[in-house]
Amino acid sequence: MSELDGALEPGSEAAPARSVRERLIMAGEQLFAEHGWNGVSIRTIAAAAGVSLAALNYHFGVKEHMLAEIFAARARPIAEARVRRLDELEASGGVMLEQVLDAFLRPAFSADVGGRIFARLRARLGTEHEAFSRRILSDAFDESSKRYVTALARLLPELPEAELAWRFHFMLGTMVYTMADSGRIQALTNGACDPGEVETALSRLVPFLAAGFRAALPPT
Amino acid sequence: MSELDGALEPGSEAAPARSVRERLIMAGEQLFAEHGWNGVSIRTIAAAAGVSLAALNYHFGVKEHMLAEIFAARARPIAEARVRRLDELEASGGVMLEQVLDAFLRPAFSADVGGRIFARLRARLGTEHEAFSRRILSDAFDESSKRYVTALARLLPELPEAELAWRFHFMLGTMVYTMADSGRIQALTNGACDPGEVETALSRLVPFLAAGFRAALPPT
DNA sequence: GTCTATACAGTGATAGAC
DNA sequence: GTCTATCACTGTATAGAC
């Protein structure tokens, strides 16, 4: 972004001279991940990035905006991966429900870099219902999620629209709660189950959800 | 609790003279529910209860302890109702999976008084994984939840212990996420679905979860 | 034991100079 | 764009009255 970056010799990735804004975002992401939203002050973040407190405030205004930018930066690749996988599936013809669910869930769980960081952030936003948190989530995920709802509707044609929306909502609950890794399952199983293992969690989650999506309609 | 309460004429419920501690807890519950954990200061709570700041600190020490007491007060009746319903079910003989799930979920959703208040608190605690939050949840729910895991294991004898734990964990995810009412389902359905309606949510949730619990084991 | 008054270090945010 | 200085406010602690 900074016009100074161009002066670096080519081939030197991870350029040591990043813009102030980038340094702040990197420091913020790491510190928020380590200590949580309230566990770290913007002063600490500014110091870690080597800038002054007011410089941080100049770039982000309020603390929440900083979180929003960090979140959006991580969320976009996830939403894009979801859409790409769905495209591939639909192009390949006969799609199975399990494949669609895996395509939706896997990018969120994998989250190439800094997975845990993003996961807890996502979980926390999912439980707030202030306008600010809603906006962050909507901007990041509404578009791709609606594509999945459409795809699921085609796979489950007998399911009324509202019922499908509920089941999609339930899926989000299992996903967010597992990503949050609150320690509840460890407490109940004396540590036998660990939601931190991506493949284990997914191999458990997908069949569970697929059965739920296919469940017979409740008697009205 | 206060010995002054006895002086009131009988039949006057909602006694106007409560102990300082009770007034603080009532004010704290309402304000936390409205504005969230960080949205309200202990000064505000103390003022709402008509006592001084230091009096609040005398009773609760740190802010977190106040939340813990409020949560425990709401959680205990829920855990008790769960155990009572399970006792009744088991005493009546032939138990259906759907009945067990309903018995577990309904008390959390109903939460006779101040339902929303508690629901959001529960959801938020479910996403924190600090030792403090874990302890609150464990103290409140581990015992009754383990009874349900046992009951479910009897109903689903072919399910390995670990698999059952995962599915129980997924159920908690759908429950907490629905109770949190984050607005995601409204965003995706343009407001057509409202998780705030207890009977609607339960009638959707129970069949979904029952199918998930009954799902065939994934191929190893 | 219960409560008040007061003080303190640290927070997010802002104003205005450079 | 970035700084210094400062603001109102937070959670917490203590000393002492009843």
Side-chain angles (χ1 to χ4, degrees):
Chain A
M1 291 296 172
S2 163
E3 64 282 334
L4 290 168
D5 293 358
L8 293 166
E9 67 284 341
S12 91
E13 55 215 341
R18 304 191 110 86
S19 74
V20 169
R21 198 186 181 81
E22 283 172 309
R23 292 211 312 272
L24 281 168
I25 286 194
M26 289 173 62
E29 175 165 35
Q30 190 193 326
L31 289 168
F32 281 141
E34 273 182 57
H35 307 105
W37 169 252
N38 296 304
V40 58
S41 69
I42 56 175
R43 281 173 169 80
T44 308
I45 298 174
V51 303
S52 81
L53 170 65
L56 185 151
N57 247 297
Y58 166 76
H59 283 287
F60 300 103
V62 298
K63 195 180 180 185
E64 280 178 333
H65 287 170
M66 184 171 200
L67 185 74
E69 282 213 34
I70 293 173
F71 184 84
R74 292 280 174 221
R76 194 171 309 115
I78 293 179
E80 287 171 357
R82 281 176 175 164
V83 171
R84 196 180 336 114
R85 283 160 181 266
L86 188 56
D87 285 339
E88 292 169 5
L89 276 179
E90 290 180 335
S92 74
V95 187
M96 282 272 291
L97 173 58
E98 281 82 355
Q99 295 175 296
V100 175
L101 299 181
D102 186 275
F104 183 86
L105 296 168
R106 189 175 293 272
F109 277 90
S110 313
D112 327 2
V113 50
R116 284 286 172 97
I117 306 173
F118 172 83
R120 275 200 271 160
L121 220 55
R122 166 67 226 260
R124 184 173 300 214
L125 286 177
T127 66
E128 317 261 348
H129 65 176
E130 292 135 41
F132 171 74
S133 309
R134 291 195 197 204
R135 263 272 309 265
I136 296 181
L137 285 176
S138 277
D139 289 349
F141 293 127
D142 274 7
E143 193 183 323
S144 58
S145 286
K146 279 178 178 167
R147 276 216 47 194
Y148 271 81
V149 171
T150 306
L152 289 169
R154 209 171 305 141
L155 278 168
L156 304 162
E158 73 288 357
L159 215 55
E161 198 176 343
E163 188 71 36
L164 177 60
W166 275 100
R167 295 183 181 186
F168 194 84
H169 167 86
F170 297 148
M171 174 176 70
L172 292 181
T174 62
M175 181 191 81
V176 167
Y177 193 70
T178 302
M179 294 197 326
D181 190 11
S182 68
R184 286 300 294 151
I185 189 175
Q186 290 91 327
L188 286 171
T189 63
N190 301 319
C193 296
D194 179 13
E197 302 165 16
V198 175
E199 285 306 323
T200 311
L202 275 178
S203 70
R204 252 67 186 219
L205 191 42
V206 169
F208 179 88
L209 293 173
F213 271 104
R214 290 197 183 100
L217 283 174
T220 319
Chain B
M1 290 297 173
S2 164
E3 63 281 335
L4 290 169
D5 293 358
L8 292 165
E9 66 283 341
S12 91
E13 55 217 338
R18 303 190 110 85
S19 74
V20 168
R21 198 185 181 82
E22 283 172 310
R23 291 210 314 271
L24 281 169
I25 287 193
M26 290 172 62
E29 175 164 33
Q30 190 194 325
L31 288 169
F32 280 140
E34 274 182 56
H35 306 105
W37 170 251
N38 296 305
V40 57
S41 70
I42 57 176
R43 281 172 169 80
T44 308
I45 298 174
V51 304
S52 82
L53 171 65
L56 185 152
N57 246 298
Y58 166 76
H59 283 287
F60 299 103
V62 296
K63 196 180 180 186
E64 281 179 331
H65 288 169
M66 186 171 197
L67 185 73
E69 282 212 35
I70 292 172
F71 185 83
R74 292 278 174 223
R76 195 170 308 116
I78 293 179
E80 287 171 357
R82 282 177 174 163
V83 171
R84 196 181 334 113
R85 282 161 182 265
L86 187 56
D87 285 339
E88 292 169 5
L89 276 179
E90 290 181 333
S92 73
V95 188
M96 283 272 289
L97 175 57
E98 280 81 355
Q99 295 176 296
V100 175
L101 299 181
D102 185 276
F104 183 85
L105 295 168
R106 190 173 292 272
F109 278 90
S110 313
D112 329 1
V113 50
R116 284 287 171 97
I117 306 173
F118 172 82
R120 275 201 272 160
L121 220 56
R122 168 65 227 261
R124 184 171 300 214
L125 286 177
T127 66
E128 317 259 349
H129 66 176
E130 291 136 41
F132 171 74
S133 308
R134 292 195 196 203
R135 263 272 309 266
I136 296 182
L137 284 176
S138 276
D139 289 350
F141 293 127
D142 273 8
E143 193 183 322
S144 59
S145 286
K146 280 179 177 166
R147 276 216 48 195
Y148 272 81
V149 172
T150 305
L152 290 169
R154 208 171 304 142
L155 278 168
L156 304 161
E158 74 287 357
L159 214 56
E161 200 176 341
E163 189 71 37
L164 177 61
W166 276 100
R167 295 182 179 185
F168 194 84
H169 168 85
F170 297 147
M171 173 175 72
L172 294 181
T174 61
M175 181 190 80
V176 167
Y177 193 70
T178 303
M179 293 197 326
D181 190 10
S182 68
R184 286 300 295 150
I185 189 175
Q186 290 92 329
L188 287 171
T189 62
N190 301 320
C193 296
D194 178 12
E197 302 165 16
V198 176
E199 286 306 325
T200 310
L202 275 177
S203 69
R204 253 67 185 217
L205 191 43
V206 169
F208 179 88
L209 292 173
F213 271 104
R214 290 196 182 101
L217 283 175
T220 319

